[in-house]
Amino acid sequence: MTITIIVLIITIAMFIWGRVRGDIVALSSLMVLTATGVLTTSEALSGFSSPILIMMVGLFVVGGAILQTGLAQSAGNSISKMAKGNETRALIYVVLATSIIGAFVSNTGTVAIMMPIIMSMAASSGIRSSRLLMPVAFAGSLGGMLTLIGTPPNLVISETLEENGYAPLKFFSFFPVGVIVIAIGLAVLLPMSLLLIKKIGKHQNGGQGKSVDDLAVQYQLHENIYKYSVGNNKGGLAGMRVQDLDLQNKYGLTILEIRNETKNALGKEIRQNMAWADTMIVQGDILYFYGDKQAMETFARERHLVSMSTDRLDFYDIGISEIVVLPTSRLIGTRIRDSRLREDYSVNILSIHRDKKYIKEELSEHRLQNGDILLVQGQWEKIMQMNHENENWVVLGRPDKLMERVSLDYKAPVAAAIMLLMIVMMVFDFIPIAPVVAVVSAALLMVFAGCFRSVDAAYKTINWESVMLIACMMPMSIALEKTGVSQIVSENLVRSLGALGPYALLAGMYFTTSLMTMFISNTATAVLMAPIALTAAQQIGVSPYSFMFAVTLGASMCFASPFSTPPNALVMKAGRYTFMDYIIVGLPLQIIIGIVMTIILPLLFPF
């Protein structure tokens, strides 16, 4: 028992100190407990085979697909249209939307989606972002209480109940609790958020850098891009090679890409290809041209091309980036047509940014100068290759990060259907599929359906630090129970509060968990407190469900510190908040939720 208590105290102290990664601290604690004989090898490794851990890994992938396809982003963009510049209305919409998204996506991912939307709303409509950012961080946690998968502590208490012979919680068992805490959150945050208003520059972008869409707007690409389809007309382009057209010399035009769009059982598939000299154009191809409008109309008329509406150039396999010509570059003084960038790196030069001017006309004849910024277009792999071969230029930004930020929006309906299928399998009991199987199947379907660029991209969505932290902390609860520590803590809680009745003990469980979550992760706190709450309920002879919900609420509803949850820390810099801002706004919300839920939980889950 002594060893377990010492290890627990040191572990919590290391979590609070924060200088060592949480997963390393948890793994070290696990090894000490195993080496000293407190845990057997099988007990120490039990966390890695836990269904909750596998489910969390699958949920990271599902949530990543929702982000990558732009599904959550499009939902957020609708909010800014509905708010119409009204700050209070915007706050309500933002909190509700964040809560709904947070029911299915990690709270960190949800807040990461909403932040740029809020900053954009602030810049375009005058809404003060500092009033919205902290409520959004809180709403991500509030929304996590709507579903079983909304936040890891929900999964923890469900598994603890099941392991001890109780009926596991269902997908929407949390829904009434979630609705109540969201209502409390809105009621508290509407007036309290006025205390957060700060003067933040409207054009502050937090150093996020330019996205591909930002570059497209900056260089006004939409003004010179034309989209046409190839028919089977006599004298048309079908059957011709790109080099036979001599577009640049005759018309001053460039084919940016040749696209094929097909439909199959998994939705729409889009293939983007660069137009090489020997590329054969076939009927049904969609061509994107770049150049002078009048010349484009002339060429289209001569070749019987069918015009298609376009207001932007999509970036999937093919992207754009900026490169700066260095003083020592071989390109200085060279005409663009002689630069061999297309031949050597398979990229098109779309524009030159020189002395605050954007040069687009007759590009091939312009000679490059020191300091020119070139907007280049090509396959992401080729742009990244240029980034590694920088004797003559420097690529601005990181092409790999730009590529990751490009959403596969044509896959959004597929991602939505898969997520809906996963929810249906988890909600309805007559479907004989375990929740963990439903989640892992959904994750696999997201990969098979092409909602990620690659399997590696899917793996990158998994927060392995969180996975290791949870897997290593789960056996800690075994050690606490095995050595009698959980029993002692629960007996002390029962002795001190049990005489005052189950309501007092329930409140004690919430606020004890809430206090611990201010210093260590909510998942680790839930893992430690769930068995204690279960034992305490058993000792006073009442149903443990209210007590388990008090644990997950105390673990998830932690708003009094910027470091208690990742979303709280995420908005701190953007909103220019201080530690005291979280105490002034977050602590009252945290306390009010605890008081209200102490009364409500026994009504929802009777003692």
Side-chain angles (χ1 to χ4, degrees), residues 357-369:
K357 297 179 181 178
Y358 295 91
I359 302 171
K360 299 180 185 179
E361 306 297 331
E362 300 181 353
L363 269 178
S364 61
E365 298 302 318
H366 279 275
R367 295 182 183 273
L368 294 172
Q369 299 178 13

Side-chain angles (χ1 to χ4, degrees), residues 67 78 124 168 252 391 446 481:
L67 297 178
S78 300
S124 61
E391 300 88 354
M446 291 292 190
E481 289 185 54

Side-chain angles (χ1 to χ4, degrees), residues 151-404:
T151 182
N154 293 0
L155 296 168
V156 170
I157 66 166
S158 180
E159 186 178 39
T160 302
L161 286 165
E162 188 173 6
E163 286 177 349
N164 287 274
Y166 293 92
L169 296 166
K170 298 179 181 179
F171 190 83
F172 282 117
S173 295
F174 296 81
F175 189 77
V177 176
V179 170
I180 293 169
V181 295
I182 291 170
I184 296 170
L186 269 174
V188 173
L189 290 173
L190 277 171
M192 295 294 287
S193 61
L194 292 171
L195 302 175
L196 297 171
I197 294 172
K198 300 179 185 297
K199 293 180 180 179
I200 300 178
K202 284 189 175 183
H203 302 289
Q204 183 181 348
N205 61 17
Q208 295 298 313
K210 300 174 186 175
S211 68
V212 287
D213 291 325
D214 292 335
L215 290 174
V217 171
Q218 177 185 340
Y219 285 86
Q220 298 180 327
L221 292 185
H222 61 282
E223 294 184 359
N224 299 90
I225 291 177
Y226 316 98
K227 181 180 178 183
Y228 287 86
S229 64
V230 178
N232 60 353
N233 308 69
K234 186 176 181 180
L237 297 184
M240 298 186 68
R241 297 183 185 276
V242 171
Q243 63 186 3
D244 300 332
L245 304 178
D246 198 17
L247 281 174
Q248 191 60 242
N249 291 327
K250 289 184 178 179
Y251 302 93
L253 298 172
T254 301
I255 300 180
L256 296 180
E257 68 174 72
I258 299 176
R259 180 179 298 190
N260 304 102
E261 298 183 5
T262 58
K263 292 184 178 180
N264 55 33
L266 294 176
K268 184 167 66 173
E269 294 292 333
I270 294 179
R271 293 194 305 275
Q272 291 179 295
N273 301 289
M274 297 291 289
W276 310 124
D278 60 349
T279 299
M280 180 73 72
I281 301 172
V282 299
Q283 180 185 344
D285 278 350
I286 298 173
L287 308 181
Y288 282 76
F289 294 89
Y290 185 76
D292 178 70
K293 183 177 182 179
Q294 189 173 357
M296 182 68 247
E297 290 175 348
T298 301
F299 177 72
R301 186 169 54 251
E302 292 175 358
R303 293 296 182 175
H304 311 291
L305 296 174
V306 180
S307 177
M308 303 179 70
S309 62
T310 179
D311 56 359
R312 67 190 185 104
L313 180 64
D314 294 317
F315 305 100
Y316 303 127
D317 303 318
I318 295 175
I320 57 174
S321 188
E322 291 177 305
I323 67 171
V324 180
V325 179
L326 296 176
T328 56
S329 174
R330 65 170 176 80
L331 297 178
I332 292 178
T334 304
R335 286 190 177 92
I336 284 183
R337 68 182 182 186
D338 301 323
S339 67
R340 293 194 58 81
L341 288 180
R342 182 172 176 84
E343 291 81 0
D344 296 341
Y345 297 97
S346 306
V347 297
N348 296 314
I349 299 177
L350 304 183
S351 182
I352 303 173
H353 185 190
R354 178 187 296 164
D355 298 329
K356 299 182 180 180
K357 297 179 181 178
Y358 295 91
I359 302 171
K360 299 180 185 179
E361 306 297 331
E362 300 181 353
L363 269 178
S364 61
E365 298 302 318
H366 279 275
R367 295 182 183 273
L368 294 172
Q369 299 178 13
N370 171 31
D372 278 352
I373 300 175
L374 311 181
L375 184 70
V376 297
Q377 181 225 22
Q379 293 175 318
W380 286 113
E381 292 78 8
K382 297 296 184 181
I383 295 176
M384 284 186 273
Q385 181 184 347
M386 294 184 72
N387 191 39
H388 298 310
E389 301 175 15
N390 54 6
E391 300 88 354
N392 298 293
W393 52 73
V394 172
V395 178
L396 298 181
R398 289 186 56 182
D400 56 334
K401 295 300 180 184
L402 281 172
M403 181 178 67
E404 289 175 5

